[in-house]
């Protein structure tokens, strides 16, 4: 009866606490924040993976460029040798292509250069050369290539 009397009079004992009606909004906000943070984490992982792929292609592209540049230098040395040092004469530049492998060079392992040289003799006995080199590097099935072309002529 005492309990009923308190409720009728609106009295509250010290043992009872006054609690406002909770609607569960903090639970919804917590789940919302968790979902947003998960989406941001997934997006960050995706960005990091794409940056990793871009970095891999950049390194392979640089290696392919260096392989093509080395191929040009090899073919230029064949076309214009230092006669005093080698004791030879310039090699014939034909339209055939050949491959130069760089397996013994640490920075260019897995790379090769496809070289092609063509020449035209002008009426004034000046020879014009076009040397092209396609550097190609492959690592784990990923292939990147770079092409360089150089034009040179003999000095009479």
């Amino acid at each position: 009866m005492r309990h009923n009397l308190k409720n009728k009079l609106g009295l509250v004992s010290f043992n009872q606490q006054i609690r406002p009606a909770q609607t569960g909004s903090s639970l919804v906000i917590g789940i919302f924040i968790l979902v947003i943070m998960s989406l941001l984490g997934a997006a960050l992982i995706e960005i990091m993976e794409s940056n990793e792929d871009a970095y891999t292609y950049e390194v392979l592209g640089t290696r392919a460029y260096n392989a093509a540049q080395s191929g040009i230098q090899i073919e230029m040395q064949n076309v214009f040798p230092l006669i005093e040092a080698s004791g030879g004469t310039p090699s014939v530049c034909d339209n055939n292509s050949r491959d130069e492998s760089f397996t013994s060079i640490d920075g260019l392992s897995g790379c090769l250069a496809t070289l092609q040289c063509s020449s035209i003799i002008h009426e004034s006995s000046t020879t014009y050369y076009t040397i092209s080199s396609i550097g190609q590097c492959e690592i784990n099935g990923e292939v990147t290539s770079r092409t360089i072309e150089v034009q040179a002529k003999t000095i009479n």
Side-chain angles (χ1 to χ4, degrees), residues 8-50:
K8 288 180 186 178
L9 296 175
L11 300 173
V12 178
S13 70
F14 291 110
N15 294 337
Q16 295 177 343
Q17 296 178 358
I18 301 174
R19 294 184 190 169
Q22 295 181 356
T23 59
S25 63
S26 50
L27 179 64
V28 172
I29 291 172
I31 291 174
F32 178 74
I33 289 173
L34 185 64
V35 167
I36 295 297
M37 295 301 276
S38 298
L39 290 175
L40 286 175
L44 183 62
I45 289 172
E46 184 68 28
I47 289 170
M48 289 176 64
E49 286 178 358
S50 68

Side-chain angles (χ1 to χ4, degrees), residues 75 79 90-96 116-120 127-131:
E75 193 63 26
V79 172
S91 65
V92 176
C93 185
D94 53 9
N95 287 325
N96 294 330
Q116 186 169 11
C117 182
S118 61
S119 62
I120 298 172
T127 305
Y128 293 91
Y129 297 96
T130 301
I131 302 169

Side-chain angles (χ1 to χ4, degrees), residues 13-151:
S13 70
F14 291 110
N15 294 337
Q16 295 177 343
Q17 296 178 358
I18 301 174
R19 294 184 190 169
Q22 295 181 356
T23 59
S25 63
S26 50
L27 179 64
V28 172
I29 291 172
I31 291 174
F32 178 74
I33 289 173
L34 185 64
V35 167
I36 295 297
M37 295 301 276
S38 298
L39 290 175
L40 286 175
L44 183 62
I45 289 172
E46 184 68 28
I47 289 170
M48 289 176 64
E49 286 178 358
S50 68
N51 284 344
E52 198 173 285
D53 290 343
Y55 179 71
T56 301
Y57 283 116
E58 183 179 344
V59 169
L60 277 177
T62 302
R63 292 179 66 199
Y65 176 78
N66 287 332
Q69 186 69 32
S70 297
I72 289 287
Q73 291 174 6
I74 289 169
E75 193 63 26
M76 288 291 285
Q77 179 65 33
N78 288 337
V79 172
F80 300 107
L82 297 174
I83 296 175
E84 297 85 19
S86 65
T89 58
S91 65
V92 176
C93 185
D94 53 9
N95 287 325
N96 294 330
S97 64
R98 65 182 180 90
D99 291 336
E100 187 72 36
S101 179
F102 302 105
T103 55
S104 63
I105 301 171
D106 290 336
L108 295 178
S109 62
C111 298
L112 65 93
T114 303
L115 308 172
Q116 186 169 11
C117 182
S118 61
S119 62
I120 298 172
I121 300 175
H122 194 265
E123 58 194 45
S124 64
S125 73
T126 301
T127 305
Y128 293 91
Y129 297 96
T130 301
I131 302 169
S132 65
S133 176
I134 301 171
Q136 185 175 12
C137 295
E138 178 180 2
I139 295 177
N140 296 331
E142 299 293 331
V143 179
T144 304
S145 65
R146 298 290 185 264
T147 303
I148 298 176
E149 186 172 274
V150 173
Q151 295 177 344

